[in-house]
Amino acid sequence: IIAQNLRNNASRTLGLLVPAIENPFFAAIAGVVIREAAKYSYPVMLIDTCESIEEERRALDTLMGRNVDGIIIVPTGDNPAPLQELNRDKPLVLIDRYFEHTDLPYVCTDNFRGAYQATRMLIDYGHRDIMCIQGVPTSITSRRRVDGYRQALREAGLESRAYVCGNNFSTENGYVSTQLALSSGRKFTAVFALSSTNLLGSLGALKDHGVEIPREVSLISFDDNLYLNYLNPPVTCVSQPMEHIGI
C-alpha cells in the first residue's frame, strides 16, 4: 500500500481537525465524517487542536508531512491566510466555522438566523432580560449567533438590555458565566446558551443557586444533544443537521 501510494503520490487518507473532541457537537460531526469517508475507502486522521492556533499549525504540518489527500477543518483563530496558502496545494474544506471575504469553501448552518429565532421565541414568551452565553469570541460561529441575538432584541426595543458573557464553548464557561451573573445580582429571566456545553454548565450553576427552571429562569440552547431530552424539564434547543453537515 505504501509503495502504491508513493507511485500515485496519494495516501488515500483524509485529515480532520476539530478544536475540542470532548464537545459533543464536534464528536458527532467527526463520527459522521469518518463513517462517510469509509464508504469511499478513505481512513481519516483525526486531530484535536485544543482551540489553539499553534496546535492547529502543528497538526497541519503533520498532515502535509503524511501527504493526506484532503483536509476538513474546524478552524481556530481569525486569520485565513495560512489556510488559503495551504488550499493552493491541497483540497481543504472548512466545517462549522468559516472566514468572511475569502474563497475558502465551507459547510455550516445559518447561525444568525438560528440565534435570532431562539431570542425572538424568548421575547414572544415575555422575557425582557435574556443572558447570552457566547463561545470563543474570535469564532465566526459565536459572533453570528451573538449578532442574531442582538438583532432580535433591537427589533423589540430591548437592545440596551442585552447581556453577552463568556468566552468558550465549554461546560466550565457556562457554569462560571452564570455563577458570576448570579453572584453579582445581575437580573435575567432567561438564558440563551450558544452551545449545548454552555447550556449544561449554566444549568448546573442555576441548580446550585436553587433557581427553579423554568418557573424562575427559562433556558434555550444552540445545538441539540440527546441528553437535553432527558433533563427535567427537557431543554428547548436550536438543532443543527449534523448528519448533513458531516456528509
Side-chain angles (χ1 to χ4, degrees), residues 154-168:
R154 189 177 301 116
E155 291 178 3
L158 301 170
E159 187 174 11
S160 63
R161 299 168 85 158
Y163 176 44
V164 180
C165 56
N167 59 9
N168 206 345

Side-chain angles (χ1 to χ4, degrees), residues 10 19 30 33 55 58 79 99 133 137 142 144 156 158 168 194 201 208 217-218 235 247:
V33 169
E55 288 297 328
R58 278 193 285 269
N79 179 16
F99 300 102
I133 305 177
S142 184
R144 294 300 287 157
L158 301 170
N168 206 345
L194 299 194
D208 284 352
V217 172
S218 294
V235 175
I247 289 172

Side-chain angles (χ1 to χ4, degrees), residues 176-194:
V176 171
S177 297
T178 306
Q179 279 278 20
L180 289 173
L182 291 168
S183 300
S184 66
R186 180 85 194 193
K187 180 185 176 185
F188 62 93
T189 62
V191 173
F192 179 25
L194 299 194

Side-chain angles (χ1 to χ4, degrees), residues 126-169:
H127 293 284
R128 297 296 178 265
D129 296 291
I130 303 167
M131 179 169 71
C132 174
I133 305 177
Q134 67 177 342
V136 179
T138 57
S139 161
I140 188 68
T141 302
S142 184
R143 297 206 312 269
R144 294 300 287 157
R145 291 175 190 177
V146 171
D147 289 344
Y149 160 80
R150 291 188 183 277
Q151 179 64 26
L153 292 180
R154 189 177 301 116
E155 291 178 3
L158 301 170
E159 187 174 11
S160 63
R161 299 168 85 158
Y163 176 44
V164 180
C165 56
N167 59 9
N168 206 345
F169 291 111

Side-chain angles (χ1 to χ4, degrees), residues 90-105:
K90 195 73 63 175
L92 183 144
V93 177
L94 311 182
I95 196 167
D96 183 57
R97 303 176 188 176
Y98 62 97
F99 300 102
E100 296 178 296
H101 314 303
T102 76
D103 57 0
L104 288 169

Side-chain angles (χ1 to χ4, degrees), residues 7 9 83 100 114 116 121 138 159 167 171 177 188 198 202 204 208 216 218 228 230:
R7 284 196 304 273
N9 193 30
L83 295 179
E100 296 178 296
Y116 174 87
M121 179 181 178
T138 57
E159 187 174 11
N167 59 9
T171 304
S177 297
F188 62 93
N198 282 346
S202 179
D208 284 352
E216 295 179 85
S218 294
L228 296 180
Y230 294 94

